[in-house]
């Protein structure tokens, strides 16, 4: 019994000696085994569809604004369609008369004239078909001077683009689309006339009258908080319903001094200016009236 008891004690001592060593070995291996595996590629960011739509809208607005402030090296203030059509017609007429006077004998010059005159005439007529004439402008010498002194770069660019011949896009088409003033599947409002005056506060006033058969006046008012940011800086927007029957709306951009409010205003029938209310605010006002 003593021998068995001594053997048992010896084995227990050995076991107690070995256990801490095993524990250290296991602890040594745990960090390597429990380390969080790293991904070879980062997870794609989670996009909110509403946030993405807002980002796309902001990017579109910034792209259109960049076009409004881009300066072009020169501008053509005459009708290219008239020039090409007139030159093609003149060349074709000359070739026909020369051919008839020479008893049907055509030389090399007349042959080349026919070759170039007909495409020029057709191309000129195509340009005339896609041509948009300049928008009528009502101005005064005092307003022109103030435009050069206080007009912003965007105001001057809008006026310059609208008062020259254009081909393809309508006047102010891209800005109106960027501001969501063109209903889906329908054309944007058409710029019919412009006027420049001096505001009561001495600012430069650029008014644009649009024919808007597809854009309700309520939509113009809902977009009002974005006008100053889009056409700015240093401008305030004013809205005026010119004619309900003819669907005419005037959007004005007025320069303001530093520190002045850029809150959009609406000119009502009696000529006074009032803050533009949202649809909910108008309904609440009508209910309490």
């Amino acid at each position: 019994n003593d021998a068995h008891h001594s053997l048992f004690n010896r084995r227990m001592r050995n076991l107690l000696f070995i256990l801490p060593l095993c524990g250290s070995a296991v602890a040594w291996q745990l960090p390597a085994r429990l380390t969080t595996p790293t991904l070879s590629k980062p997870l794609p960011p989670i996009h909110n569809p509403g946030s993405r739509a807002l980002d796309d809208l902001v990017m579109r607005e910034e792209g259109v604004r960049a076009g409004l402030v881009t300066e072009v090296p020169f501008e053509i203030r005459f009708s290219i369609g008239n020039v090409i059509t007139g030159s093609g017609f003149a060349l074709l007429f000359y070739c026909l008369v020369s051919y008839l006077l020479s008893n049907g004998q055509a030389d090399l010059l007349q042959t080349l004239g026919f070759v170039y005159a007909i495409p020029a005439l057709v191309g000129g007529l195509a340009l005339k078909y896609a041509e948009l004439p300049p928008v009528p402008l009502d101005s005064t010498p005092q307003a022109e001077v103030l435009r050069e002194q206080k007009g912003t770069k965007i105001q001057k660019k809008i006026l310059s683009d609208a008062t020259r011949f254009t081909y393809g896009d309508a006047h102010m088409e891209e800005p109106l689309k960027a501001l969501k003033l063109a209903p889906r599947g329908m054309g944007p409002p058409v710029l019919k006339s412009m006027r420049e005056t001096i505001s009561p506060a001495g600012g430069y006033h650029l008014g644009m009258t649009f024919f808007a058969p597809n854009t309700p006046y309520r939509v113009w008012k809902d977009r009002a908080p974005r006008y100053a940011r889009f056409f700015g800086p240093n401008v305030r927007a004013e809205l005026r319903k010119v004619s309900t029957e003819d669907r005419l709306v005037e959007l004005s951009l007025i320069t303001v001094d530093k520190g002045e409010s850029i809150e959009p205003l609406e000119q009502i029938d009696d000529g006074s200016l009032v803050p533009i209310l949202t649809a909910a605010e108008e309904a609440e006002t009508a209910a309490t009236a």
Side-chain angles (χ1 to χ4, degrees):
N1 290 335
D2 294 337
H4 286 292
H5 183 70
S6 177
L7 179 61
F8 176 79
N9 290 337
R10 224 173 19 251
R11 289 180 176 177
M12 288 297 296
R13 284 195 300 271
N14 293 338
L15 181 60
L16 293 174
F17 177 77
I18 292 173
L19 281 176
L21 297 177
C22 294
S24 300
V26 171
W28 180 265
Q29 295 295 327
L30 279 176
R33 293 180 182 180
L34 296 180
T35 303
T36 303
T38 57
L39 298 176
S40 57
K41 295 182 179 180
L43 291 175
I46 299 176
H47 291 287
N48 185 353
S51 176
R52 178 180 298 178
L54 180 61
D55 292 342
D56 293 342
L57 177 61
V58 172
M59 291 180 62
R60 177 178 175 80
E61 286 188 3
E62 290 302 321
V64 176
R65 287 188 77 254
L68 285 176
V69 298
T70 301
E71 296 183 359
V72 294
F74 63 92
E75 292 183 348
I76 299 176
R77 311 299 297 186
F78 57 85
S79 171
I80 301 178
N82 287 342
V83 173
I84 297 178
T85 302
S87 60
F89 179 79
L91 183 58
L92 181 62
F93 180 77
Y94 167 77
C95 293
L96 284 174
V97 173
S98 300
Y99 179 78
L100 294 176
L101 293 179
S102 59
N103 296 323
Q105 299 295 324
D107 55 14
L108 180 60
L109 181 61
Q110 293 171 352
T111 303
L112 293 176
F114 278 114
V115 170
Y116 288 103
I118 296 176
L121 181 59
V122 174
L125 292 175
L127 281 176
K128 286 295 296 179
Y129 178 77
E131 182 179 86
L132 288 174
V135 175
L137 173 64
D138 182 15
S139 181
T140 61
Q142 294 80 7
E144 293 177 0
V145 172
L146 189 63
R147 182 209 312 158
E148 298 302 321
Q149 294 176 350
K150 290 190 174 183
T152 66
K153 184 181 293 186
I154 289 182
Q155 285 177 316
K156 295 177 182 178
K157 187 68 162 44
I158 290 174
L159 184 65
S160 175
D161 289 348
T163 53
R164 63 182 175 86
F165 290 93
T166 359
Y167 300 89
D169 294 340
H171 299 295
M172 293 287 292
E173 179 173 347
E174 288 302 317
L176 294 174
K177 287 182 177 179
L179 290 168
K180 299 297 182 182
L181 289 170
R184 187 181 299 274
M186 299 182 182
V190 180
L191 182 60
K192 303 297 289 184
S193 64
M194 304 181 75
R195 66 186 181 97
E196 54 180 3
T197 58
I198 302 174
S199 70
Y204 173 67
H205 181 132
L206 177 65
M208 300 169 285
T209 300
F210 294 91
F211 172 59
N214 304 316
T215 308
Y217 188 60
R218 177 70 258 174
V219 176
W220 289 87
K221 297 172 71 172
D222 291 339
R223 302 292 187 271
R226 296 167 57 185
Y227 298 148
R229 183 183 72 244
F230 186 85
F231 295 110
N234 303 323
V235 295
R236 185 185 75 247
E238 290 184 6
L239 277 177
R240 181 170 69 96
K241 185 186 293 186
V242 180
S243 172
T244 304
E245 294 77 13
D246 297 332
R247 309 287 292 180
L248 296 177
V249 177
E250 183 184 56
L251 171 62
S252 298
L253 304 175
I254 304 168
T255 59
V256 296
D257 294 330
K258 187 176 181 180
E260 286 189 54
S261 173
I262 58 173
E263 179 186 9
L265 301 175
E266 178 186 9
Q267 183 176 345
I268 57 179
D269 295 338
D270 61 2
S272 59
L273 296 174
V274 296
I276 296 179
L277 303 179
T278 63
E281 291 172 340
E282 285 189 352
E284 182 179 354
T285 302
T288 56

